[in-house]
Amino acid sequence: MRALIVVDIQNDFLPGGPLAVPRGDEAVAPTNRLLDSTGLFDVVVATQDWHPQDHGSFAANHPGKRPGEVIDLAGLSQILWRVHCVQGTRGAKFAPGLHAERFERVFRKGQNPAIDSYSGFFDNGHRQSTGLAEFLRGRGVGEVYILGLATDYCVKFTALDARELGLETWFIEDACRGVELHAGDVQKAIEELTARGVRMTTTDELLRGGPQS
Ligand code: VGL
Ligand code: ZN
């Protein structure tokens, strides 16, 4: 069984948002093409960054600290971000025009103020599961196709966890965009994913009948 995992295509990650991913809005159209294609995926799920206002990844919650600085958060190295994707706010909602009605399930992450959660599967300490791994296993999924925002954070860590879980994992290049806090981060992420056995594909290739054809 094949699953499509749509990672964090939310308002706050779009241009103009507090954690804007450059050209992040360009992930929406290819994602919709895949969401609208019938029969390509057996399961379609999304992840949603969903933080409480007092989340420890927000620079605003650490007096004197600025976004981009790195701190120790409950024993893990943590990059500080601008306040983003606060539960129930407009910024946490899926991007306008995204065909979110196609999502069978949405897995929320980052609710625990003491730990961040880039991967859609586990928090950054691999302490708690979001339920996504169990859900996919229950549906007999062996292959996952991953896209969304941001390539160098949540997409990357979701794909790495998928590989660790033994899933055949595909990264849909044209439907992802990265933060690039440091120039070259997206390229480094792609190289890291490839080294771990994540395979590269595109929406066109998938819509033509899959990478194997
Ligand atoms: C993300 C940084 C902080 C992401 C989420 O979705 O890639 N990045 N929270
Ligand atoms: Zn976040």
Side-chain angles (χ1 to χ4, degrees):
M1 294 291 218
R2 293 175 152 193
L4 179 68
I5 305 176
V6 176
V7 176
D8 296 5
I9 305 191
Q10 295 167 257
N11 286 323
D12 277 347
F13 298 127
L14 301 182
L19 215 168
V21 176
R23 301 190 296 136
D25 52 325
E26 293 176 10
V28 174
T31 301
N32 280 341
R33 287 177 71 208
L34 292 170
L35 291 172
D36 293 345
S37 72
T38 51
L40 205 46
F41 303 102
D42 305 292
V43 176
V44 175
V45 298
T47 67
Q48 191 173 29
D49 215 33
W50 194 251
H51 298 305
Q53 186 74 53
D54 65 347
H55 198 263
S57 74
F58 298 163
N61 292 327
H62 302 275
K65 298 285 178 193
R66 307 256 305 267
E69 285 187 56
V70 177
I71 63 157
D72 178 291
L73 185 63
L76 293 177
S77 169
Q78 174 69 50
I79 303 173
L80 294 176
W81 304 103
R82 291 199 172 77
V83 174
H84 66 277
C85 296
V86 172
Q87 298 171 3
T89 62
R90 190 194 152 273
K93 287 195 163 63
F94 292 121
L98 182 68
H99 297 175
E101 67 279 3
R102 309 270 184 182
F103 301 152
E104 185 178 335
R105 284 274 299 265
V106 175
F107 293 86
R108 290 175 166 169
K109 60 190 181 64
Q111 288 113 314
N112 179 347
I115 194 162
D116 211 354
S117 195
Y118 293 149
S119 160
F121 289 99
F122 305 101
D123 62 54
N124 291 358
H126 274 78
R127 293 169 196 158
Q128 207 174 319
S129 166
T130 60
L132 176 56
E134 295 77 6
F135 177 76
L136 295 179
R137 196 178 316 122
R139 294 293 301 271
V141 169
E143 267 173 71
V144 293
Y145 293 77
I146 301 177
L147 59 74
L149 308 175
T151 310
D152 33 2
Y153 291 94
C154 292
V155 172
K156 174 176 117 174
F157 286 100
T158 300
L160 291 176
D161 277 347
R163 284 296 300 147
E164 258 184 56
L165 289 162
L167 296 163
E168 186 177 319
T169 306
W170 295 88
F171 171 88
I172 308 174
E173 293 179 88
D174 60 304
C176 297
R177 292 291 182 277
V179 178
E180 289 253 297
L181 211 52
H182 310 284
D185 279 356
V186 165
Q187 194 48 41
K188 266 174 51 191
I190 288 173
E191 283 163 17
E192 201 178 329
L193 292 174
T194 303
R196 300 270 202 103
V198 175
R199 303 166 78 180
M200 299 292 137
T201 187
T202 63
T203 52
D204 279 340
E205 188 173 50
L206 290 167
L207 292 168
R208 273 201 307 269
Q212 280 92 347
S213 68

